[in-house]
Amino acid sequence: MDRMHRRRQQPSQLSGNILASWGGVIGGQGGRRRAYSRPVVTQLTRANVRDRIASLSAAVSDAETLRTEVIGELHRAVGFDAHVWLLTDPVTTVGSAPHADIPAFGQLPLLIKLKYLTKVNRWSDLVARRIDAASLVHATGGDLARSLVWREVLNGHGVTDVAYVVAADRYGCWGFLDLWRSGAPNAFDDDEVSFLAELAPLLTRALRARQALTFSTIPPARRRDDGPVVLVLSEDLEVLSQTAATEEWLRTLMPAARGLPPVPASVYNSAAQLLAVEQKVDSHEARARVHLGEGTWVTVRATRMGAHIAVSLETSPPEERLEVFALAHGMSGREVELLGMLADGSDTKLIAERMFLSELTVQDHLKSIFAKSESHNRRSLLARIFGTRGA
């Protein structure tokens, strides 16, 4: 079998800041790890793991808890030595909120940069080609040096293959998972990649559902306006400076870890995406909508500023929250259009006129929207979308 599996058809101290930014579970000891020793895995074991992951996916939990539990199950069915699992903006595919256990701590800025600049098995390309899972060995024909990130970083940690899994559906890309395996001959075989591909739709639905759940909490009062929140990074993703309001705002949104100033992972990911766009590796905008907890969504954008990169953060405006809300809840095109009109304050009669529908049909669409979002009425629906307590 082919080790690239297609998706089912369906409609310094500053460097240390990154350790505080990755969130979730992150570990690692640096240097080379002991090579993975492949156990004997039976079809029954994989079936049990698949069932267990299905149960975890259906349970009520946040994205970090889900990923922690799924990784634990995956170790029983597919051996690996390290992993990186990021959530992504569903539209731009830019990453945030990693769940990781890797040995390359000292090279994190470089690792993030090269991950975005590597064309081989890039997650956005796999999504475009409708491929759920793939292996590095297969993609390179065994010549791993064709991968920039392997050549410059992973090779130094004894990585001999990487399995890639993308979580994407017709509503967007919700995350990607890289599994590193060390030692030879320890390539991921066809059965393992096929198993990961089977899990991809399940993980996609679970991650999308977790993003939808973030809108069930109304965020706390917004920060006072002390000016723009901007960080300036070098080409190597080193934080060079930041505006006066940045540290205060980020400390409010993200309590510091290990005594380090908090810097969201999305800052580094957005900056790396800008470099990828400039080098024509990918064309998605260098922007990510990121959930930072308690219903708070922040929009992160990277732009060129001379020889440096400026990354701005702001509370996501209503239209950007609405887009993520609609995608996370699986809204149809008609339902998204109707949501936009509701947000503009249009009543049923005006919506019907503007959409060339009967008022009864509009009411049917509203019932579907309420059911998908588990909202009881227009007021509660709009409060969730915009993160307000309503009038």
mmCIF file of all heavy atoms in Angstrom, residues 140-161:
data_model
loop_
_atom_site.group_PDB
_atom_site.id
_atom_site.type_symbol
_atom_site.label_atom_id
_atom_site.label_comp_id
_atom_site.label_asym_id
_atom_site.label_seq_id
_atom_site.Cartn_x
_atom_site.Cartn_y
_atom_site.Cartn_z
ATOM 1 N N THR A 140 10.073 10.981 0.529
ATOM 2 C CA THR A 140 11.402 11.328 0.017
ATOM 3 C C THR A 140 12.083 10.174 -0.698
ATOM 4 O O THR A 140 13.227 10.310 -1.141
ATOM 5 C CB THR A 140 12.306 11.782 1.177
ATOM 6 O OG1 THR A 140 12.451 10.703 2.114
ATOM 7 C CG2 THR A 140 11.736 13.004 1.873
ATOM 8 N N GLY A 141 11.407 9.034 -0.814
ATOM 9 C CA GLY A 141 12.032 7.869 -1.416
ATOM 10 C C GLY A 141 13.228 7.388 -0.623
ATOM 11 O O GLY A 141 14.157 6.782 -1.173
ATOM 12 N N GLY A 142 13.221 7.648 0.684
ATOM 13 C CA GLY A 142 14.334 7.239 1.539
ATOM 14 C C GLY A 142 15.431 8.271 1.650
ATOM 15 O O GLY A 142 16.333 8.137 2.480
ATOM 16 N N ASP A 143 15.381 9.332 0.834
ATOM 17 C CA ASP A 143 16.383 10.406 0.895
ATOM 18 C C ASP A 143 15.858 11.505 1.811
ATOM 19 O O ASP A 143 15.342 12.531 1.365
ATOM 20 C CB ASP A 143 16.648 10.950 -0.505
ATOM 21 C CG ASP A 143 17.715 12.037 -0.529
ATOM 22 O OD1 ASP A 143 18.380 12.230 0.512
ATOM 23 O OD2 ASP A 143 17.857 12.705 -1.569
ATOM 24 N N LEU A 144 15.993 11.310 3.121
ATOM 25 C CA LEU A 144 15.393 12.217 4.089
ATOM 26 C C LEU A 144 15.958 13.631 4.001
ATOM 27 O O LEU A 144 15.302 14.592 4.420
ATOM 28 C CB LEU A 144 15.590 11.673 5.506
ATOM 29 C CG LEU A 144 15.038 10.271 5.790
ATOM 30 C CD1 LEU A 144 15.153 9.960 7.280
ATOM 31 C CD2 LEU A 144 13.601 10.146 5.339
ATOM 32 N N ALA A 145 17.155 13.773 3.453
ATOM 33 C CA ALA A 145 17.775 15.090 3.339
ATOM 34 C C ALA A 145 16.999 16.022 2.411
ATOM 35 O O ALA A 145 17.246 17.228 2.386
ATOM 36 C CB ALA A 145 19.217 14.962 2.850
ATOM 37 N N ARG A 146 16.031 15.483 1.669
ATOM 38 C CA ARG A 146 15.172 16.337 0.842
ATOM 39 C C ARG A 146 14.275 17.209 1.697
ATOM 40 O O ARG A 146 13.728 18.210 1.238
ATOM 41 C CB ARG A 146 14.331 15.483 -0.104
ATOM 42 C CG ARG A 146 15.124 14.835 -1.233
ATOM 43 C CD ARG A 146 14.263 13.850 -2.004
ATOM 44 N NE ARG A 146 13.000 14.445 -2.442
ATOM 45 C CZ ARG A 146 11.959 13.758 -2.887
ATOM 46 N NH1 ARG A 146 12.028 12.433 -2.946
ATOM 47 N NH2 ARG A 146 10.864 14.373 -3.263
ATOM 48 N N SER A 147 14.116 16.826 2.969
ATOM 49 C CA SER A 147 13.321 17.611 3.919
ATOM 50 C C SER A 147 14.233 18.592 4.636
ATOM 51 O O SER A 147 15.180 18.195 5.323
ATOM 52 C CB SER A 147 12.650 16.693 4.939
ATOM 53 O OG SER A 147 12.162 17.433 6.044
ATOM 54 N N LEU A 148 13.940 19.873 4.500
ATOM 55 C CA LEU A 148 14.768 20.911 5.120
ATOM 56 C C LEU A 148 14.809 20.773 6.635
ATOM 57 O O LEU A 148 15.888 20.843 7.237
ATOM 58 C CB LEU A 148 14.228 22.292 4.733
ATOM 59 C CG LEU A 148 14.936 23.509 5.334
ATOM 60 C CD1 LEU A 148 16.387 23.560 4.873
ATOM 61 C CD2 LEU A 148 14.191 24.789 4.952
ATOM 62 N N VAL A 149 13.670 20.562 7.268
ATOM 63 C CA VAL A 149 13.643 20.484 8.721
ATOM 64 C C VAL A 149 14.352 19.222 9.209
ATOM 65 O O VAL A 149 14.995 19.232 10.265
ATOM 66 C CB VAL A 149 12.187 20.553 9.242
ATOM 67 C CG1 VAL A 149 11.403 19.302 8.877
ATOM 68 C CG2 VAL A 149 12.170 20.774 10.750
ATOM 69 N N TRP A 150 14.291 18.132 8.450
ATOM 70 C CA TRP A 150 15.036 16.934 8.849
ATOM 71 C C TRP A 150 16.532 17.189 8.713
ATOM 72 O O TRP A 150 17.311 16.851 9.605
ATOM 73 C CB TRP A 150 14.647 15.729 7.991
ATOM 74 C CG TRP A 150 15.349 14.463 8.454
ATOM 75 C CD1 TRP A 150 14.931 13.586 9.398
ATOM 76 C CD2 TRP A 150 16.626 13.982 7.985
ATOM 77 N NE1 TRP A 150 15.857 12.584 9.565
ATOM 78 C CE2 TRP A 150 16.911 12.798 8.716
ATOM 79 C CE3 TRP A 150 17.539 14.426 7.039
ATOM 80 C CZ2 TRP A 150 18.078 12.062 8.518
ATOM 81 C CZ3 TRP A 150 18.719 13.699 6.844
ATOM 82 C CH2 TRP A 150 18.963 12.525 7.587
ATOM 83 N N ARG A 151 16.924 17.795 7.609
ATOM 84 C CA ARG A 151 18.340 18.012 7.333
ATOM 85 C C ARG A 151 19.000 18.911 8.380
ATOM 86 O O ARG A 151 20.133 18.671 8.800
ATOM 87 C CB ARG A 151 18.481 18.638 5.940
ATOM 88 C CG ARG A 151 19.908 18.697 5.418
ATOM 89 C CD ARG A 151 19.939 19.033 3.935
ATOM 90 N NE ARG A 151 19.443 20.372 3.628
ATOM 91 C CZ ARG A 151 18.342 20.628 2.916
ATOM 92 N NH1 ARG A 151 17.605 19.629 2.455
ATOM 93 N NH2 ARG A 151 17.966 21.873 2.670
ATOM 94 N N GLU A 152 18.260 19.925 8.815
ATOM 95 C CA GLU A 152 18.858 20.920 9.696
ATOM 96 C C GLU A 152 18.635 20.644 11.190
ATOM 97 O O GLU A 152 19.407 21.111 12.012
ATOM 98 C CB GLU A 152 18.297 22.305 9.357
ATOM 99 C CG GLU A 152 18.596 22.767 7.937
ATOM 100 C CD GLU A 152 20.079 22.989 7.699
ATOM 101 O OE1 GLU A 152 20.782 23.341 8.674
ATOM 102 O OE2 GLU A 152 20.539 22.810 6.552
ATOM 103 N N VAL A 153 17.568 19.911 11.544
ATOM 104 C CA VAL A 153 17.259 19.712 12.961
ATOM 105 C C VAL A 153 17.045 18.243 13.319
ATOM 106 O O VAL A 153 17.730 17.701 14.183
ATOM 107 C CB VAL A 153 16.000 20.524 13.377
ATOM 108 C CG1 VAL A 153 15.644 20.225 14.838
ATOM 109 C CG2 VAL A 153 16.255 22.016 13.204
ATOM 110 N N LEU A 154 16.090 17.596 12.678
ATOM 111 C CA LEU A 154 15.689 16.250 13.108
ATOM 112 C C LEU A 154 16.823 15.236 12.981
ATOM 113 O O LEU A 154 16.944 14.335 13.815
ATOM 114 C CB LEU A 154 14.473 15.770 12.311
ATOM 115 C CG LEU A 154 13.230 16.675 12.341
ATOM 116 C CD1 LEU A 154 12.049 15.980 11.686
ATOM 117 C CD2 LEU A 154 12.903 17.081 13.762
ATOM 118 N N ASN A 155 17.631 15.378 11.961
ATOM 119 C CA ASN A 155 18.750 14.457 11.770
ATOM 120 C C ASN A 155 19.680 14.469 12.978
ATOM 121 O O ASN A 155 20.187 13.427 13.402
ATOM 122 C CB ASN A 155 19.531 14.836 10.504
ATOM 123 C CG ASN A 155 20.678 13.892 10.234
ATOM 124 O OD1 ASN A 155 20.585 12.692 10.465
ATOM 125 N ND2 ASN A 155 21.788 14.442 9.739
ATOM 126 N N GLY A 156 19.869 15.651 13.554
ATOM 127 C CA GLY A 156 20.738 15.772 14.721
ATOM 128 C C GLY A 156 20.197 15.098 15.962
ATOM 129 O O GLY A 156 20.923 14.897 16.938
ATOM 130 N N HIS A 157 18.923 14.728 15.941
ATOM 131 C CA HIS A 157 18.315 14.039 17.080
ATOM 132 C C HIS A 157 18.009 12.584 16.753
ATOM 133 O O HIS A 157 17.231 11.934 17.458
ATOM 134 C CB HIS A 157 17.040 14.773 17.507
ATOM 135 C CG HIS A 157 17.315 16.144 18.055
ATOM 136 N ND1 HIS A 157 17.723 16.366 19.351
ATOM 137 C CD2 HIS A 157 17.284 17.354 17.451
ATOM 138 C CE1 HIS A 157 17.917 17.658 19.538
ATOM 139 N NE2 HIS A 157 17.643 18.280 18.401
ATOM 140 N N GLY A 158 18.622 12.080 15.684
ATOM 141 C CA GLY A 158 18.503 10.662 15.364
ATOM 142 C C GLY A 158 17.159 10.247 14.806
ATOM 143 O O GLY A 158 16.826 9.057 14.819
ATOM 144 N N VAL A 159 16.367 11.200 14.311
ATOM 145 C CA VAL A 159 15.047 10.866 13.768
ATOM 146 C C VAL A 159 15.212 10.166 12.424
ATOM 147 O O VAL A 159 15.885 10.675 11.523
ATOM 148 C CB VAL A 159 14.181 12.130 13.602
ATOM 149 C CG1 VAL A 159 12.857 11.804 12.922
ATOM 150 C CG2 VAL A 159 13.934 12.776 14.968
ATOM 151 N N THR A 160 14.617 8.994 12.275
ATOM 152 C CA THR A 160 14.746 8.221 11.040
ATOM 153 C C THR A 160 13.465 8.188 10.215
ATOM 154 O O THR A 160 13.480 7.747 9.069
ATOM 155 C CB THR A 160 15.169 6.777 11.361
ATOM 156 O OG1 THR A 160 14.262 6.216 12.320
ATOM 157 C CG2 THR A 160 16.584 6.748 11.919
ATOM 158 N N ASP A 161 12.365 8.643 10.783
ATOM 159 C CA ASP A 161 11.131 8.774 10.009
ATOM 160 C C ASP A 161 10.163 9.650 10.799
ATOM 161 O O ASP A 161 10.263 9.774 12.025
ATOM 162 C CB ASP A 161 10.487 7.417 9.718
ATOM 163 C CG ASP A 161 9.490 7.471 8.555
ATOM 164 O OD1 ASP A 161 9.388 8.526 7.895
ATOM 165 O OD2 ASP A 161 8.831 6.441 8.299
#
